[in-house]
Amino acid sequence: MRTETEDEELLALAQSFRTTLRHAVYLSRSMDHDGELSTMQLSTLGMAADAPLRVSRIAGNLGIRVPSATEQIIKLEQAGLVSRHQDPTDSRAVLVQLTGKGRAAWEEASRRRNARIAELLGQLDAEDRAAIAAALPVVAKLNRNP
Amino acid sequence: MRTETEDEELLALAQSFRTTLRHAVYLSRSMDHDGELSTMQLSTLGMAADAPLRVSRIAGNLGIRVPSATEQIIKLEQAGLVSRHQDPTDSRAVLVQLTGKGRAAWEEASRRRNARIAELLGQLDAEDRAAIAAALPVVAKLNRNP
DNA sequence: TCCTCATAGTTAGGCAGCCTAACATTCACC
DNA sequence: GGTGAATGTTAGGCTGCCTAACTATGAGGA
């Protein structure tokens, strides 16, 4: 059973969390112009980097609908970064695969973006960095729950 | 002077941070349909809640350009949530002020959104919540630096 | 005073990214 | 073999951001 005080503390934490979520979105947006690839496109490439992936899986992982994913993938295809093939085990499905150019672009953009974030995090002292490091896995949990 | 190992650790942290940033954006987007007000609109109302605010200040706080802020504010005005007045001390400037209806809508939406986040955070154990709480102020620092 | 430059905001036009609805195709199962 | 589910694509629309161009006002010097 939860007490009233605990509920109030939780709400206060939620309030701060909400503000920080907004900050995170700004941060993310400010990172979004490191070159030609948007964050979403970068994520898409990153997913397909390990193995060819279905459109529906990409959409699911990105948290967007299938038509929106199709749109992004078509753009990436037109840029020569991915190729689309029919899934041999299910002709309805389409497998999205990185091209050589796509892999190179992904690695380069990924490297550059990590460097920019590292620079940002490098301005923090060790204690603050530790706080960040401890919180990262927890945020991932939050996304799996709902 | 920074060692190579430290640099590598920093890059690894940056990589995780980047992933989590994406998670945060998803979380934020999933919160974005709790009613009629978008996150940006909610933030705008929140800013004007304390005192009437200039359009340029709102844009700056939101991290967007002035014309984009004007657009949002006009929508809020049309919805009857804010009013716009010429600044008496500078006729070029426009002060954005909450209406009664705007304040009520903001409080209601804010309360609802906090409750949803609290519910999410409530699923975490105390240790995880502490990790989140410790990291929140650090993210705010990151936004002030760049 | 008047001229010039800076500042505040709006308008116009464009683009990216997301959505739903409707559709074709294929699969799975009875 | 026929029916319903699953996978993508297409079409159309909306939101929210941007830059460029404009108006109006303020500030400061010749």
Side-chain angles (χ1 to χ4, degrees), chain B residues 45-71:
Chain B
L45 293 183
M47 275 174 232
D50 300 326
L53 219 58
R54 288 190 175 192
V55 173
S56 49
R57 288 294 299 275
I58 292 175
N61 289 343
L62 289 177
I64 61 179
R65 303 290 174 184
V66 170
S68 309
T70 297
E71 191 178 325

Side-chain angles (χ1 to χ4, degrees), chain A residues 29 54-56 66-67 70 74 84 92-94:
Chain A
R29 199 162 49 220
R54 290 189 173 191
V55 173
S56 50
V66 170
T70 296
I74 287 176
R84 290 192 291 174
R92 293 172 303 176
V94 169

Side-chain angles (χ1 to χ4, degrees), chain A residues 81-96:
Chain A
L81 303 181
V82 304
S83 57
R84 290 192 291 174
H85 310 279
Q86 208 174 49
D87 184 339
T89 73
D90 183 344
S91 326
R92 293 172 303 176
V94 169
L95 292 178
V96 177

Side-chain angles (χ1 to χ4, degrees), chain A residues 74-139:
Chain A
I74 287 176
K75 280 184 192 167
L76 290 173
E77 189 183 32
Q78 287 169 347
L81 303 181
V82 304
S83 57
R84 290 192 291 174
H85 310 279
Q86 208 174 49
D87 184 339
T89 73
D90 183 344
S91 326
R92 293 172 303 176
V94 169
L95 292 178
V96 177
Q97 191 170 12
L98 279 184
T99 63
K101 183 179 172 188
R103 185 169 300 276
W106 170 65
E107 283 169 355
E108 165 63 14
S110 203
R111 189 196 58 70
R112 201 159 49 207
R113 198 166 285 212
N114 284 345
R116 286 182 57 194
I117 295 179
E119 191 187 2
L120 213 57
L121 294 176
Q123 297 169 1
L124 298 174
D125 58 36
E127 189 183 352
D128 282 350
R129 274 205 300 278
I132 291 282
L136 296 183
V138 182
V139 176

